[in-house]
Amino acid sequence: MSITTPDDRISTYHPVAATTQFAAGFPVFDNADIGVTVDGVERFDFTISATYAAGISTDAKAVFSPGIVGAVVVFGKRAPRRSSRFLNGNSLPIPDQNLALDTVEAEVQESARENRRAHKAPYGEDGGVFTASDVGNAQANAASAAASATLAAKWAENGDLDVTPGKRASEYWARKAQEWAIGGVAGVGSFNSRTGPVTAQSGDYSSDQISRGGGNVENALDAIEADITATKASLLSGVEDLLVSNNSGNPNTHIDIGTGKARVGSAVVANLATLTKRLNATWVAGSGNGGLDTGAVAASGTYFLYALRKDADGTFEAVFSTSPTIAGVNTALLTGYTIVKCIGVVLTNASSIIRPFLMYPRDEYQFVTPIMDASNIATTLTANLLALTVPNGVKTKVKLRFMFRSPATTNSCLVYDPAKGILEAGGADEGGVVGTPQVADGYSVGNAEIWTNTSRQVRHVAGAAGTLWVFNDGFYFPCGRSA
């Protein structure tokens, strides 16, 4: 038997000369499983070079052009997901079982790595959530706190002050500071060697404290507490609401994005009001304006919708792209914005207009009018691929209905995920999703939810020659919505 050794799924490099390729020193199961940071900042302007055997690559590399220098970290960022499902009663090939277990092991290793890097709190207590600024300024904040404590102790020891026992808490002295800043220090000859009404100066409070909450310590503390509350959920990743729909006034060209929130790690953005973006025009910030990252809208196209966060104020925007990954989005028009997460997808028809659809929670799409993706096509004992009306470049679970006709009195047709390889239809083989009644040239119907490959295809095969109709009701495109 074989085992896997403990692994943080991180490879670090420190090139001093411009270098283009950085190997991932850990197994990779999909190109999207790799992330790269350079000098602590995540980069997306790279491609992946990898060869896969039995679903695993051990030679994956992140490739930059031009080359880069600095502290380079190649890390695993596999989103937990089910990549295989084995059928009851079938044999379970050892390579397939090992691949499924290896992908789970990689996800557990990355989860354990992130847990070790996270802030820890004692059992029974809630952990805090800290921004990058909080962590980076921790030492300076500690020094400032120590100085403030020393100053508070001096105030408490001043005989001219009416100090109630036990009132040496920071809140008490914050209130005192507010009173003194407004009307002078009652009963004290001087404050920080100054007499009379006190106004904030360098050395009294930090510049960050003065700038928050109206310029006094108490309000600054309230503002900081509000910051912590607002960022408690930032370590979670997913999409809340942000449902997508055809715009009622311009359903062929415009898309409405409902209120909600998208987050990946510490990057979070909230949409507070419905935002409308136009697919047939290049991106411009603002509701009702263009939404395409580059080029012109195409016929029978797939357009992925990404949530954007404005760097200056954190407000929500969105952009369409034909790229199924963030790394492939054209950012030439997106200066000042960060791409947070993919939140949806829309399809165009042969006339380059948006197909009417309905979107439901948990990333479910339904076409307003079902699409006939196959009409009276031949299906035989030889398995063949069939292209469907679903997003291109990604695997989706499509909701299909079937009608099958065969001159054989006993027959069935199997439609399935091409990743399963070559299967055979029939009761003594891999079964079927639709079969014929016990009458020659009779019709039968059936339905199933089936995963496609990244080229929008499923595979079909029959136990004997027949003809097949396929009706497409919609699909699931996973973006991480939990409800």
Side-chain angles (χ1 to χ4, degrees):
M1 65 179 293
S2 62
I3 61 173
T4 57
T5 57
D7 189 354
D8 279 347
R9 293 175 62 79
I10 293 177
S11 300
T12 58
Y13 302 91
H14 296 84
V16 295
T19 303
T20 58
Q21 297 190 11
F22 300 90
F26 45 84
V28 171
F29 308 92
D30 187 279
N31 286 359
D33 293 353
I34 293 179
V36 180
T37 64
V38 179
D39 294 329
V41 178
E42 186 166 5
R43 295 278 291 268
F44 303 97
D45 55 335
F46 61 89
T47 59
I48 299 297
S49 170
T51 56
Y52 290 84
I56 302 177
S57 173
T58 57
D59 64 353
K61 303 178 184 67
V63 181
F64 286 86
S65 179
I68 58 176
V69 297
V72 180
V73 177
V74 181
F75 63 96
K77 57 181 296 187
R78 179 176 175 83
R81 58 190 183 272
R82 183 68 181 268
S83 300
S84 58
R85 181 171 292 278
F86 307 108
L87 298 177
N88 289 335
N90 280 18
S91 61
L92 179 55
I94 292 301
D96 292 350
Q97 184 180 21
N98 284 337
L99 177 61
L101 293 174
D102 286 344
T103 56
V104 172
E105 177 69 14
E107 293 164 3
V108 171
Q109 287 175 342
E110 292 180 11
S111 178
R113 176 193 72 199
E114 299 307 315
N115 285 339
R116 287 192 296 272
R117 296 172 64 233
H119 169 67
K120 302 297 192 303
Y123 287 104
E125 297 182 11
D126 291 336
V129 176
F130 304 98
T131 65
S133 177
D134 293 336
V135 176
N137 297 328
Q139 185 173 358
N141 290 342
S144 178
S148 297
T150 300
L151 182 59
K154 289 181 179 179
W155 292 343
E157 293 165 2
N158 191 319
D160 294 331
L161 282 176
D162 182 16
V163 179
T164 303
K167 288 293 187 180
R168 296 182 62 159
S170 59
E171 179 183 1
Y172 174 79
W173 294 111
R175 293 184 182 279
K176 282 293 185 184
Q178 180 183 27
E179 294 170 5
W180 297 338
I182 295 173
V185 185
V188 179
S190 66
F191 172 72
N192 277 10
S193 302
R194 302 197 305 277
T195 58
V198 176
T199 57
Q201 292 186 10
S202 176
D204 293 341
Y205 320 104
S206 72
S207 60
D208 288 341
Q209 288 173 323
I210 293 301
S211 67
R212 299 302 306 277
N216 62 69
V217 175
E218 182 180 11
N219 288 347
L221 291 174
D222 288 342
I224 293 171
E225 182 179 4
D227 289 344
I228 294 173
T229 300
T231 57
K232 277 185 177 179
S234 64
L235 291 182
L236 300 175
S237 294
V239 181
E240 296 177 8
D241 299 324
L242 292 178
L243 296 181
V244 181
S245 60
N246 297 90
N247 177 262
S248 59
N250 299 283
N252 294 337
T253 56
H254 290 55
I255 288 293
D256 290 340
I257 306 167
T259 59
K261 186 184 301 181
R263 56 184 180 274
V264 175
S266 60
V268 59
V269 64
N271 185 28
L272 303 180
T274 298
L275 178 71
T276 301
K277 299 304 290 185
R278 179 180 173 184
L279 182 61
N280 61 344
T282 53
W283 187 88
V284 176
S287 188
N289 293 332
L292 192 56
D293 63 342
T294 186
V297 65
S300 303
T302 299
Y303 294 92
F304 299 93
L305 182 61
Y306 293 90
L308 305 178
R309 185 180 189 276
K310 188 174 183 180
D311 299 334
D313 57 15
T315 53
F316 179 89
E317 253 293 343
V319 65
F320 291 104
S321 176
T322 57
S323 171
T325 64
I326 289 178
V329 177
N330 190 314
T331 58
L333 301 176
L334 305 180
T335 301
Y337 287 84
T338 297
I339 305 174
V340 177
K341 186 170 176 55
C342 185
I343 59 172
V345 64
V346 298
L347 307 180
T348 59
N349 65 12
S351 300
S352 302
I353 64 175
I354 299 171
R355 291 185 179 275
F357 67 94
L358 302 172
M359 185 178 185
Y360 298 92
R362 297 189 181 275
D363 299 319
E364 178 182 355
Y365 297 76
Q366 287 201 22
F367 294 118
V368 173
T369 301
I371 297 170
M372 183 183 292
D373 276 326
S375 175
N376 199 29
I377 64 170
T379 182
T380 67
L381 280 74
T382 301
N384 287 294
L385 293 168
L386 172 65
L388 302 176
T389 306
V390 294
N392 189 35
V394 294
K395 290 178 69 70
T396 56
K397 180 184 284 188
V398 60
K399 299 181 288 185
L400 299 177
R401 290 180 289 112
F402 312 99
M403 187 166 66
F404 180 59
R405 176 176 178 266
S406 173
T409 57
T410 301
N411 195 4
S412 65
C413 178
L414 176 63
V415 182
Y416 62 96
D417 182 351
K420 296 180 179 180
I422 301 301
L423 302 180
E424 296 180 1
D429 296 294
E430 281 77 42
V433 294
V434 60
T436 60
Q438 303 301 306
V439 177
D441 289 321
Y443 290 85
S444 60
V445 296
N447 66 84
E449 293 183 351
I450 300 170
W451 281 97
T452 69
N453 61 18
T454 57
S455 297
R456 305 184 295 115
Q457 297 167 321
V458 293
R459 199 182 292 277
H460 64 94
V461 64
T467 52
L468 179 67
W469 290 256
V470 178
F471 305 89
N472 183 345
D473 284 319
F475 56 88
Y476 297 90
F477 172 58
C479 285
R481 285 178 175 83
S482 57

